[in-house]
Amino acid sequence: MKLKEIDSGIVSNLIDENKEKLMYYAHILAKANARARLTGSDDPIEIFDVHVMDCAMALPLLPGNAWVVDVGTGGGLPGIVWAICRNDLSVVLLDSIRKKCELLSDMIQHLGLKNVQVCCGRVEEFALSNFERYDVAAARGVSHLGILLEYFSPLVKKGGRCLAFKGPRAFEELREFYGREGKLGWSGLEVWKYDLDERELFIFTWQKSRDAEMKLPRRVGIPEKRPWWR
């Protein structure tokens, strides 16, 4: 498997063009952490340098004028970062915890973002009413890679793609099902490598090339209890 390199020049330009608003987001996210733990830090500088910059690395991988769903968004990462930097995107922030959703709605209002909406619910239930609606489904720091592929599949239209932010351990997860993801309709795996804060990180992407061979979505909780590849 050949690792691909992200165009850091595109990322740098988008960060520079939107730095003031991205830093403002980092500050209001830090304040929101006092009310509910949305991300791992309450230091806005750390949030910017670690979390915002990490999310921005995927910007060159997103198609133009795309409908995007951010699964398990937490504090709006990566969805809010993408919406700030790319006003051609229409972004849905999906999370199952109502308190987080309320805080996300407040943050979006403060940021004046018109291309973002918040949806509160479990991904399996959300997919029932949003079947194959999105060009891109993404997640950062959420679940096993194979389980993410099941979550993403009913959300993404054929010809769309999914993105998963992961660390090096994801290659162990990948080995559990590699070569069988066609069962969910996925093909064309690409792995994008980048370095951030002295860490080696990766974005895993697949294309939705056909219908899944199994009925999706399954009931809430079943993907974790009975992984599709076992």
Side-chain angles (χ1 to χ4, degrees):
M1 181 188 306
K2 184 178 180 181
L3 300 181
K4 307 190 77 170
E5 297 288 338
I6 290 172
D7 190 333
S8 58
I10 294 175
V11 176
S12 296
N13 288 339
L14 288 169
I15 289 288
D16 290 343
E17 290 168 7
N18 298 281
K19 191 164 187 177
E20 183 177 351
K21 200 163 194 176
L22 290 169
M23 186 58 76
Y24 180 46
Y25 166 54
H27 276 84
I28 62 175
L29 178 52
K31 288 183 179 179
N33 270 331
R35 296 168 60 189
R37 180 57 67 184
L38 300 175
T39 191
S41 174
D42 57 7
D43 176 2
I45 302 301
E46 182 179 346
I47 289 173
F48 184 90
D49 290 344
V50 176
H51 299 286
V52 171
M53 290 297 296
D54 184 38
C55 296
M57 296 304 295
L59 287 166
L61 308 181
L62 302 174
N65 301 303
W67 283 80
V68 178
V69 58
D70 175 6
V71 176
T73 186
L77 300 163
I80 288 181
V81 174
W82 293 354
I84 290 171
C85 293
R86 292 274 305 275
N87 59 16
D88 63 308
L89 302 176
S90 297
V91 179
V92 170
L93 306 177
L94 178 63
D95 204 278
S96 62
I97 300 175
R98 185 158 298 280
K99 182 67 173 180
K100 291 183 179 180
C101 293
E102 292 170 355
L103 291 170
L104 285 169
S105 296
D106 289 344
M107 286 191 283
I108 289 167
Q109 185 174 3
H110 283 299
L111 289 163
L113 294 173
K114 305 300 184 183
N115 58 335
V116 186
Q117 60 176 308
V118 179
C119 292
C120 192
R122 289 294 301 261
V123 62
E124 300 96 329
E125 295 172 334
F126 180 81
L128 287 171
S129 55
N130 293 274
F131 191 78
E132 293 190 345
R133 182 177 182 181
Y134 296 95
D135 301 295
V136 177
R140 178 176 179 268
V142 178
S143 198
H144 185 287
L145 193 56
I147 293 172
L148 284 178
L149 286 182
E150 178 173 345
Y151 287 159
F152 293 153
S153 181
L155 294 169
V156 177
K157 63 181 70 172
K158 285 184 282 293
R161 75 190 318 190
C162 65
L163 290 83
F165 290 78
K166 286 285 185 175
R169 290 185 180 178
F171 290 96
E172 299 174 14
E173 299 173 0
L174 180 65
R175 279 193 287 271
E176 295 183 36
F177 63 85
Y178 183 60
R180 288 181 282 166
E181 54 265 49
K183 184 175 181 179
L184 303 177
W186 298 113
S187 63
L189 169 64
E190 293 181 324
V191 183
W192 302 81
K193 175 185 175 297
Y194 59 101
D195 297 310
L196 184 66
D197 193 34
E198 299 183 349
R199 294 175 298 151
E200 189 177 57
L201 298 170
F202 305 89
I203 299 171
F204 291 75
T205 72
W206 280 267
Q207 297 292 129
K208 181 75 173 293
S209 57
R210 58 183 185 271
D211 291 333
E213 297 172 10
M214 55 189 288
K215 184 174 174 58
L216 296 174
R218 292 193 285 171
R219 296 194 315 274
V220 170
I222 297 300
E224 296 93 341
K225 291 178 182 177
R226 297 206 300 268
W228 61 268
W229 64 91
R230 292 180 184 166

